[in-house]
Amino acid sequence: MLSKALLRLGASAARHPWRVIAAWLIAATLAVLAAIAVGGRTADSMTAPGLDSQRAAQLIERAGTGQEGMTAQVVVTPLDGDATFFDHGSARTALTRLQTEVRRLPHVLGTSDPAGALGAGGEATVRGGLVSADGRIAVVRVQYPDQSRLSAEDLDALVDLGDRLRAELPLRIEMGGSLFYAFSDPGGGASELIGLLAAATILFLAFGSLVAAALPIGMAVFGLTVGVATMTVLAGVTDVPTFAPVLGSMVGLGVGIDYALFVLARHREYLARGLDPREAAGRAVATAGRPVVFAGGTVVVSILGLAVANVPFMTVGGIAVSIVVLIMVVASVTLLPAFLGAAGPRLARTGRIGRVLQTRKPGRLARRRDPAAGAAHAAGWRRWIGHVSRHPVPYAVGAAGLLLTATLPVLGLRVGLPDDGSLPHSRTERRAYDLVAEGFGPGTNGPLVIAADPTGDPGVLDRLVATVAADPGIASVAPTHIDRATGIATLVVFPTTSPQDKATADTIARLRTDVLPTAIGNGPARAHVGGAAASLSDVGQRTSQRLPVFVAAVLAMSFLLLMLAFRSVLVPLKAVLLNLLSIGASYGIMVAVFQWGWGGALIGLEATVPIVSFIPMFLFAILFGLSMDYEVFLLSRVREEYLRTGDNRTAIVEGVSGTARIITSAALIMVAVFLSFAVAEDPSTKMFGLGLATAIFIDATVVRMVLVPATMTLLGRANWWLPKWLDRMLPHGPVGTDDTDAESTGEAPSPRLIDR
């Protein structure tokens, strides 16, 4: 049985703490050394098999034009505000030197030549899209090979060159392009530190002890070190998306501290009963460790389910984050009990400051049930849950109505990918974006690449150029490039709207469904729309199409696992519906903040942006798994009380109030950790942080402390109904029965109380 295995594991770790701690130190050291030796850098590859943009990329690669590779753009303007490249000789000379230096960089295949084109006359230069009509802004487009042949060192070389030339040339130099998108570091180090400090403060206030507050933090740091190092090793084998380390750190810190908090709270309860610290550690792992293993496994399986989208970067990102979560689960049942054993009886004591913070006047019932510090808090929660259970209908209706109202903005959800125009002005990519939009129009920041194979229809290219240029969503079409060996033609076209604008996605769809079929007709020629903007639009459509299938799969899996754990049909059904409500509300808040701009300034959002296409699916996987932490932890206690007393209302009041303090403390920690990432520069990181924080806050307050007791009170004994034929089919050994306590006290639970 799982509980017995965890009991032996936890007790052994507590009896030999220094051996276990040494083993984790060795594991962390080896993981870091492996990351240094064979690890790779994260890189984004927003492609997926079967998409039209992927077919365009394959044609471009066959043609060997170089346009299948990465690009960067160096945007320059004279420092003298009155000068232009048409009439200022020193600015033109500086531009020539800049182009020459950029071409010398490693792996650069070539650049555009605005300085050379200036000699052909201003009008020709403007038509070529190299210098703006007023002559103030010039763009040097830099072509790199395929991403697989590049690394972050190439980005560093370009940035270092820009820093040097800014000091030597009379030019303002800004940079952007897909090279930055693929290899720039989204950061997160400061956010992790802020999250750790906030978590440490909340833990200290919860336990009133520096030692008790330090242990979950120490365990999370150990686990995060091993997890992120392992992720770096994985990046040396395959492309790990740049958001994976940030998301892994975010989720890893949250669940690691959460899991440690659950086990530590049980450990202190057993110490308060007078148990030996080593035995208390083993018992804590056996009881609280079972929900941790169950919930952690649910998180891992949910995230791995992202493979259903058939988008490689999402699958790899899910694997990377799952590794961190899995390591945190292992640390919770091995490293943490070792810490508990090493700490000994000190965890039973509360420091002087902690005693002051926790001083309350506990009620008589609280003193009887929980002699440990914090009994007054349990009494307060007991009064609240009792109040809710006496008025279940208004609380259930009111809370559900509140969450449904918060969910309404989801009806206006628009997926896409924030472009460089959504970055803060402190970033060079944002400044380059603004200069290009000012000089050439917003669509120049997101060119589309049409790849055409005119085999059997030589006149198709003229028709293609004419029909594409006539589309109202296209501002201009660059000269066609035809590969002599393959005959494949590439057209670079510039939309009238920015890459993240919905009108750009509409233009891409119109090109594919109307414009290109009209130009090609029924002939053998074929054409596909590619480029970064088209790839991101395609990935967004695929994830939106696969999201319902993914959601259904996760809901079915969660229902089955909870039914197995708690021997009930209605409890898991209720859990699934309530989790949907909390996640839907978090989606609605994200739409209101990022698309509508409500309160965006509070998290440093400078412009409204669409929801990143892959974030809703990622958030659903993570949040549904995380919500299982609270669901399993709370329902385990409720079921224990029900099996002990046979009274549904008493079980709800005692079970929910007995876990309320831990759940709210754990939720505060997660919210603090996630919100620390919501103030990062990158909009995607902001979305992950805010979405996770709001969902956890809603789940731990409105759902767990209002809707759960209200709905369980209304359901009564039907909560634990399970058909006899189904009970015989399901394996026994539920997560929710505290059989470790029963075995040690001789008070075996009474299954006959379960209404079947």
Side-chain angles (χ1 to χ4, degrees), residues 12-33:
S12 176
R15 283 195 301 270
H16 309 288
W18 301 114
R19 295 181 189 177
V20 177
I21 294 172
W24 271 91
L25 278 171
I26 293 172
T29 302
L30 292 176
V32 171
L33 291 176

Side-chain angles (χ1 to χ4, degrees), residues 294 297-303 305 550-564 572 576 621 624-625 628:
F294 180 84
T298 304
V299 174
V300 170
V301 173
S302 296
I303 296 176
F550 172 72
V551 169
V554 172
L555 294 181
M557 178 198 68
S558 302
F559 177 83
L560 291 174
L561 288 176
L562 287 173
M563 182 171 64
L564 175 64
V576 165
F624 217 90
M628 288 298 168

Side-chain angles (χ1 to χ4, degrees), residues 354-377:
R355 287 195 296 271
V356 172
L357 291 171
Q358 291 186 345
T359 298
R360 297 288 189 275
K361 188 175 181 181
R364 186 170 54 189
L365 180 59
R367 288 196 296 269
R368 270 204 314 269
R369 285 189 53 81
D370 189 0
H377 297 277

Side-chain angles (χ1 to χ4, degrees), residues 529-554:
V529 182
S535 296
L536 296 172
S537 177
D538 289 350
V539 169
Q541 287 185 4
R542 172 164 289 184
T543 54
S544 298
Q545 291 168 357
R546 300 292 176 89
L547 183 59
V549 177
F550 172 72
V551 169
V554 172

